[in-house]
């Protein structure tokens, strides 16, 4: 009973801010400014949603975000998995150096201007790779996956080697099928990171048609998208300024909320169940 009450309280505390934001996104500007919006919308309206979603550039940028996230996440998962698997081998020569190089990048980097010069000199500006390559490996995710591989029973790989599997075959046919939980976790971490990312595109891209949706909404919030370009009147401008942040949060977080239930089962499954007997 106590556990049920505590967990219910956690659920309420977790959901309340999101429900409040959702209610604000459908409320009138006067109700929002008066602080009357709690869990239900006041003065229901769709002005800001209509303003944003009627713009063709919004859908172009939304498509860009999907492409950037899918490609970047796929590349990041492959590189992180390969690097982590190598680092998990304690008999590897130069292992300490490779770990040191990775950890070093967590605390030191070249800085904003050198990074910009590097991306420009490599010809990556205004391309997908300006977003994907600089963030292809998260050292935190790398260390988490490395620890997971290190805790995997060595008997499994030894048995695979006896059966004639190569290193790549062992990784593909033995290790990865038993690593669904950590792969799902890394998938979620990388997908959320790339989906919410806006600064790299803001820095390395000059063309509006290449922006992700986060930059579009950032520009809308800051006033870069003028009311005249969308045909908005004075009343619409007041409404947009009142609940644009709430609408932005809802439009940005919705795809991630749809993704999470699809991979949640891997967080609670018994990863090693049945893999080792004896």
């Amino acid at each position: 009973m106590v556990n049920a009450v505590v967990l219910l309280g956690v659920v309420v505390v977790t959901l309340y801010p999101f429900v409040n934001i959702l209610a604000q996104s459908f409320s009138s500007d006067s109700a929002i400014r008066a602080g009357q919006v709690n869990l239900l919308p006041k003065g229901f309206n769709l002005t800001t949603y209509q303003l944003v979603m009627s713009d063709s550039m919004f859908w172009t940028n939304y498509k860009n975000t999907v492409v950037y996230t899918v490609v970047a996440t796929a590349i990041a998962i492959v590189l992180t998995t390969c690097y982590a698997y190598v680092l998990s081998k304690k008999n590897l020569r130069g292992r300490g150096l490779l770990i040191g190089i990775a950890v070093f990048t967590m605390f030191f980097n070249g800085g904003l201007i050198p990074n910009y010069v590097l991306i420009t000199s490599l010809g990556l500006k205004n391309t997908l790779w300006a977003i994907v390559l600089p963030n292809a490996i998260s050292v935190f995710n790398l260390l988490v996956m490395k620890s997971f591989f290190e805790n995997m029973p060595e008997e499994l790989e030894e048995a695979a080697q006896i059966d004639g599997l190569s290193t790549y075959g062992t990784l593909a046919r033995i290790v990865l099928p038993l690593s669904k939980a950590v792969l799902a976790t890394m998938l979620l971490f990388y997908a959320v990171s790339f989906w919410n990312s806006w600064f790299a595109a803001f820095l390395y891209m000059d063309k509006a048609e290449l922006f992700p949706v986060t930059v579009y909404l950032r520009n809308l919030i800051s006033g870069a998208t003028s009311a005249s370009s969308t045909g908005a009147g004075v009343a619409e401008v007041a409404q947009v300024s009142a609940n644009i942040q709430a609408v932005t949060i809802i439009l940005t977080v919705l795809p991630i909320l749809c993704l999470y239930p699809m991979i949640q089962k891997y967080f609670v499954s018994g990863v090693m169940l049945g893999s080792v007997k004896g």
Side-chain angles (χ1 to χ4, degrees):
M1 182 63 182
V2 174
N3 290 340
V5 173
V6 172
L7 292 176
L8 182 60
V10 172
V11 170
V12 171
V13 171
T14 303
L15 289 181
Y16 175 77
F18 181 78
V19 175
N20 179 256
I21 289 294
L22 183 62
Q24 287 191 33
S25 69
F26 290 105
S27 299
S28 65
D29 64 306
S30 58
I32 296 174
R33 297 180 190 280
Q36 299 175 351
V37 181
N38 193 5
L39 296 179
L40 296 176
K42 299 289 185 180
F44 185 84
N45 82 92
L46 298 173
T47 301
T48 307
Y49 281 105
Q50 292 172 348
L51 185 65
V52 173
M53 300 181 72
S54 63
D55 189 355
S56 61
M57 186 59 68
F58 169 79
W59 295 109
T60 299
N61 294 158
Y62 216 99
K63 181 189 69 175
N64 292 341
T65 297
V66 174
V67 173
Y68 296 162
T69 301
V70 171
V71 174
T73 301
I75 292 176
I77 288 292
V78 172
L79 294 181
T80 303
T81 301
C82 294
Y83 198 179
Y85 184 66
V86 169
L87 295 182
S88 67
K89 303 306 173 186
K90 298 180 180 180
N91 59 348
L92 176 70
R93 292 183 180 181
R95 177 174 179 265
L97 177 62
L98 293 175
I99 295 176
I101 292 174
V103 173
F104 181 83
T105 62
M106 293 182 68
F107 305 100
F108 302 97
N109 62 73
L112 183 61
I113 295 177
N115 283 336
Y116 181 84
V117 173
L118 176 63
I119 294 298
T120 303
S121 62
L122 291 175
L124 301 179
K125 190 175 179 181
N126 288 321
T127 68
L128 163 68
W129 308 114
I131 297 177
V132 174
L133 296 183
N135 302 299
I137 295 181
S138 166
V139 179
F140 174 80
N141 294 343
L142 173 68
L143 297 179
V144 170
M145 186 171 282
K146 164 185 163 294
S147 299
F148 182 90
F149 288 151
E150 286 178 340
N151 293 326
M152 188 168 291
E154 296 181 1
E155 293 81 0
L156 289 173
E157 297 188 41
E158 292 174 356
Q161 292 174 2
I162 293 175
D163 290 338
L165 287 180
S166 64
T167 301
Y168 297 106
T170 301
L171 175 62
R173 300 180 62 179
I174 303 298
V175 176
L176 292 184
L178 296 174
S179 305
K180 292 180 180 179
V182 72
L183 289 174
T185 303
M186 295 301 104
L187 176 66
L188 182 63
F189 285 175
Y190 276 121
V192 171
S193 176
F194 285 117
W195 183 272
N196 292 332
S197 176
W198 66 272
F199 187 70
F202 181 76
L203 185 63
Y204 300 129
M205 294 185 175
D206 300 329
K207 302 177 182 179
E209 61 271 17
L210 297 177
F211 287 160
V213 71
T214 47
V215 175
Y216 173 90
L217 297 174
R218 178 260 177 198
N219 291 339
L220 188 62
I221 292 176
S222 65
T225 303
S226 64
S228 60
S229 66
T230 56
V234 176
E236 288 179 321
V237 172
Q239 178 60 49
V240 169
S241 64
N243 67 351
I244 181 59
Q245 291 186 356
V247 172
T248 299
I249 292 173
I250 296 300
L251 292 176
T252 303
V253 78
L254 187 60
I256 299 300
L257 289 179
C258 296
L259 173 66
Y260 182 80
M262 295 167 49
I263 61 178
Q264 181 187 15
K265 61 181 180 180
Y266 295 111
F267 296 146
V268 296
S269 61
V271 185
M272 304 301 297
L273 184 62
S275 61
V276 178
K277 299 182 184 297

